[in-house]
Amino acid sequence: MDYHEYVVKDKEQITATFEDVGGFMTDIYNHVDYDYGQYYSGAVLGSASDEAEYALQGNAIEDFYNGAWSATNAKETLWNDMYEGIAACNVYIDEFTGLTFDDLALNSDYEKQLYRYNNYEWEARFMRAYFYFVLARQYGGVPLVTHTQSYDITNALPRESSDSIFSFIISECDAIKDSIIADYSDLGAMDMGANETGRADRLAVLALKARAALYWASPLFNPDDDATRWYNAALYTKQLIDECTERGKRLADDYESLWATDNYSNANIMCEIIFGRRVYGSGSEGVSSTFESYNYPVGIEGGNGGNCPTQTLVDAYEFVSGDSAGLRPKDLADYDPDKPYYDDRDPRFYVTVAKNGDENWPSSNTTPLQTYYGGINAEPLTGGTPTGYYVKKLCHSAIDLSSNSSYEADNHTWVTFRLGEFYLNYAEAVFKYLGSPYATDGELTMSAADALDKTRLRAGLKSLSEVRPGMTNDEFWDVYKTERMVELAFEGHRFWDVRRWKEADEHFTSVDEMKLTLNSDSTISYERNTVSRTWDDKMYLFPIPQSEIQKNPNLTQNPGW
């Protein structure tokens, strides 16, 4: 008997059916990055920025700011993941395109399946471009591999410049934007009834192009401040926003709903999301509660404390009403740095940060949170919040981790691109290009201030013209950075934004905590505590893993490493 046991199929076996070719393409999506704590044993990159502090000491996230980061401790997970994804894309593009499946031509669904198959080439090229964006964001220039080739060739390639990589990403997006399916939710006669909302379409391509252009224009990659790059970033982002509008996309009414369990199927949420990564863990029926387990407060069954928002982040949320509207605590004339100012804050604060006294967080918890020292959710318990806060955003509070619960897991979708981000991206690019928060021109018809108002007004804040009229450029830049920190908190942006701005010496050398004490009269005392962190300018880019340099003598190391 010519019998073999195997699970890995070769090219001939894969190309025999639409299903196997589609499965190969779909598996490439599993390389898309996300940040639910999977890389650092629960810690997210926000805990290596000024967004958060990880509650459990000794976590690998501390290597980013305690001096232990090095080329031999290079945090290379994304290097490996992205190049594996790139290799799979190259295999698909080189070997699995141009098929006709003639043996299946008499099948009743042949035309529809072939229509879907013919789009996979463009998806593969989008994915490859996206993987290179992740690498460029992290390392700058990297080796550029666009075809399948032997290991000895790959391991002799030099690094391309960051300019070359960003140029490649943008040119790839231009090459595929008119060929890829425009909208997977509307395939007309070719609609097969399958849920394809997780696949990349034309808007995802335009979003990648616009975001890559913004990074390429930023000081880290644009040391000469080439104004053309800022212009292109603004123009590409405006084109994306305009096309989103034409397709009926808009900001979701409810900010908190963007991370709900049905954010991939609810039209009132999908209206803002351009592309998201399905994330399934080890829970029942393909769903997960891993992120909740990492981040629910200690003192709640199954909770480990996790990524605790800093007082630095809390201070970024504005007041909503009265004479203080539009101001942050530091903007007040009678500012007391030892008071957290919980009341009358930006509504996004209350759905992002869990604070002392909060009720029904998570939903199954019937006791108000006690984050003061000695409280049931606080230090000195292992995992007790060091900052005075816990994270709400991204957590699905209905998940009950208690041993007798029947609701222990849920669907999660990491939002890779959403319209809210691109209003902010446009505001930055047009401000940097035109040199004023209020300027417009014939092409860039929306000012930076008006673009910034989009996310503010959705959150329930007043417009900038009402609360901060006549801002100087420095004032606008400060307001812009704060709005971006608030709107995109815990979405994986802050760690990279501060780097591309080259402002880490301003933001990443310390974080503020708030220490709470319960007094004998049941009042709470607050004391701000500033924690220093190590920063070196070499950290703007990651070190090339020493293991890769040993394999490839033509790889050069990033400066300082």
Side-chain angles (χ1 to χ4, degrees):
M1 295 176 63
D2 184 15
Y3 177 76
H4 302 278
E5 288 185 352
Y6 54 80
V7 292
V8 179
K9 297 182 178 181
D10 60 21
K11 177 183 175 181
E12 287 70 25
Q13 292 165 321
I14 292 175
T15 57
T17 68
F18 289 114
E19 289 77 9
D20 283 343
V21 173
F24 186 94
M25 181 62 236
T26 299
D27 189 59
I28 292 174
Y29 281 82
N30 289 327
H31 293 280
V32 175
D33 63 313
Y34 61 98
D35 192 11
Y36 278 133
Q38 74 279 10
Y39 298 126
Y40 303 106
S41 302
V44 301
L45 281 180
S47 287
S49 75
D50 53 356
E51 271 185 337
E53 185 176 350
Y54 200 64
L56 297 172
Q57 293 185 356
N59 187 280
I61 201 72
E62 297 172 8
D63 294 347
F64 284 107
Y65 55 81
N66 67 5
W69 197 10
S70 69
T72 56
N73 179 25
K75 312 299 182 187
E76 71 269 25
T77 300
L78 283 178
W79 175 284
N80 297 331
D81 283 354
M82 296 305 102
Y83 271 115
E84 286 178 5
I86 289 165
C89 290
N90 286 337
V91 168
Y92 188 91
I93 294 165
D94 287 348
E95 300 186 20
F96 293 163
T97 55
L99 303 175
T100 57
F101 303 96
D102 293 337
D103 292 346
L104 307 177
L106 297 180
N107 289 10
S108 60
D109 64 348
Y110 175 79
E111 186 178 357
K112 291 182 178 181
Q113 291 282 19
L114 194 64
Y115 177 78
R116 174 182 287 176
Y117 160 75
N118 286 331
N119 190 64
Y120 291 159
E121 176 182 356
W122 315 118
E123 288 184 45
R125 289 180 66 175
F126 164 80
M127 283 294 161
R128 185 175 62 182
Y130 179 80
F131 297 149
Y132 273 115
F133 167 75
V134 173
L135 289 169
R137 175 183 68 182
Q138 186 157 311
Y139 297 101
V142 294
L144 182 62
V145 185
T146 58
H147 293 284
T148 56
Q149 58 195 24
S150 64
Y151 290 118
D152 58 331
I153 296 176
T154 299
N155 287 334
L157 290 175
R159 297 173 65 181
E160 299 288 339
S161 67
S162 60
D163 290 347
S164 295
I165 300 299
F166 281 115
S167 180
F168 169 78
I169 295 165
I170 291 171
S171 64
E172 278 290 275
C173 290
D174 281 335
I176 65 179
K177 63 183 175 63
D178 295 327
S179 299
I180 197 168
I181 285 176
D183 182 0
Y184 257 108
S185 67
D186 183 15
L187 299 182
M190 292 301 173
D191 188 359
M192 300 183 66
N195 187 343
E196 298 284 7
T197 58
R199 290 193 179 275
D201 61 9
R202 176 180 165 87
L203 289 184
V205 174
L206 296 180
L208 173 59
K209 177 184 174 183
R211 188 194 282 178
L214 179 71
Y215 272 67
W216 195 15
S218 300
L220 180 61
F221 303 108
N222 186 17
D224 297 329
D225 197 23
D226 181 352
T228 302
R229 294 191 192 177
W230 287 115
Y231 164 74
N232 287 335
L235 180 64
Y236 299 161
T237 308
K238 178 69 161 48
Q239 291 170 345
L240 168 67
I241 292 171
D242 288 346
E243 192 151 329
C244 283
T245 302
E246 290 172 8
R247 214 166 94 178
K249 284 193 168 289
R250 58 178 176 80
L251 295 185
D253 294 332
D254 181 6
Y255 173 78
E256 185 181 13
S257 72
L258 288 166
W259 300 275
T261 59
D262 61 345
N263 67 351
Y264 65 93
S265 59
N266 185 325
N268 292 321
I269 307 172
M270 292 170 62
C271 60
E272 179 167 347
I273 297 174
I274 297 171
F275 181 70
R277 160 73 197 269
R278 302 285 191 272
V279 180
Y280 301 120
S282 57
S284 62
E285 300 180 359
V287 292
S288 176
S289 58
T290 304
F291 189 74
E292 288 71 23
S293 177
Y294 285 147
N295 291 287
Y296 276 1
V298 295
I300 295 172
E301 186 174 351
N304 290 289
N307 301 277
C308 299
T310 60
Q311 186 64 41
T312 309
L313 174 62
V314 172
D315 288 343
Y317 291 89
E318 294 181 7
F319 295 97
V320 174
S321 59
D323 293 338
S324 298
L327 302 179
R328 294 152 294 179
K330 73 171 187 176
D331 300 318
L332 300 181
D334 58 348
Y335 170 55
D336 182 348
D338 295 331
K339 291 183 179 179
Y341 295 98
Y342 288 154
D343 298 331
D344 191 39
R345 301 294 287 277
D346 182 333
R348 291 172 292 188
F349 167 65
Y350 302 103
V351 299
T352 301
V353 178
K355 56 183 174 52
N356 184 67
D358 277 0
E359 300 178 345
N360 301 117
W361 180 258
S363 299
S364 60
N365 181 35
T366 59
T367 304
L369 290 182
Q370 299 176 5
T371 65
Y372 52 79
Y373 189 86
I376 59 176
N377 311 109
E379 297 175 314
L381 293 175
T382 300
T385 172
T387 67
Y389 307 99
Y390 292 103
V391 66
K392 285 184 177 179
K393 188 173 174 179
L394 308 186
C395 288
H396 294 167
S397 67
I399 291 176
D400 184 352
L401 300 178
S402 59
S403 56
N404 61 350
S405 171
S406 60
Y407 197 103
E408 298 176 342
D410 228 330
N411 292 311
H412 293 74
T413 300
W414 177 263
V415 179
T416 305
F417 298 131
R418 65 179 177 93
L419 186 55
E421 174 204 340
F422 288 95
Y423 278 118
L424 297 175
N425 292 0
Y426 174 83
E428 179 177 342
V430 75
F431 168 68
K432 292 292 188 178
Y433 175 61
L434 294 178
S436 165
Y438 306 108
T440 61
D441 68 13
E443 286 183 299
L444 306 172
T445 55
M446 179 169 50
S447 72
D450 287 342
L452 202 61
D453 273 342
K454 297 294 185 179
T455 53
R456 292 173 53 83
L457 293 172
R458 188 259 299 276
L461 302 181
K462 294 181 179 179
S463 69
L464 289 174
S465 63
E466 292 181 272
V467 295
R468 288 179 175 266
M471 288 180 291
T472 66
N473 282 0
D474 287 344
E475 289 171 338
F476 176 80
W477 183 239
D478 180 54
V479 169
Y480 169 78
K481 290 189 296 182
T482 302
E483 174 62 20
R484 189 174 181 92
M485 186 180 192
V486 166
E487 173 72 16
L488 302 178
F490 293 99
E491 294 181 50
H493 290 276
R494 182 69 176 177
F495 181 92
W496 305 109
D497 283 342
V498 171
R499 281 174 162 76
R500 65 182 179 84
W501 295 329
K502 296 198 74 173
E503 293 187 3
D505 57 344
E506 178 183 347
H507 299 290
F508 285 178
T509 57
S510 67
V511 296
D512 282 354
E513 307 168 334
M514 187 60 72
K515 300 297 185 181
L516 284 67
T517 303
L518 180 65
N519 301 317
S520 58
D521 61 357
S522 298
T523 60
I524 302 290
S525 295
Y526 303 91
E527 182 179 359
R528 185 179 296 259
N529 182 51
T530 300
V531 179
S532 297
R533 288 181 168 180
T534 298
W535 175 262
D536 188 300
D537 283 354
K538 68 182 181 181
M539 298 176 183
Y540 280 118
L541 294 173
F542 278 41
I544 302 296
Q546 187 62 33
S547 59
E548 297 299 322
I549 291 178
Q550 289 172 337
K551 287 186 290 187
N552 182 353
N554 292 323
L555 276 183
T556 55
Q557 185 55 272
N558 273 325
W561 294 103

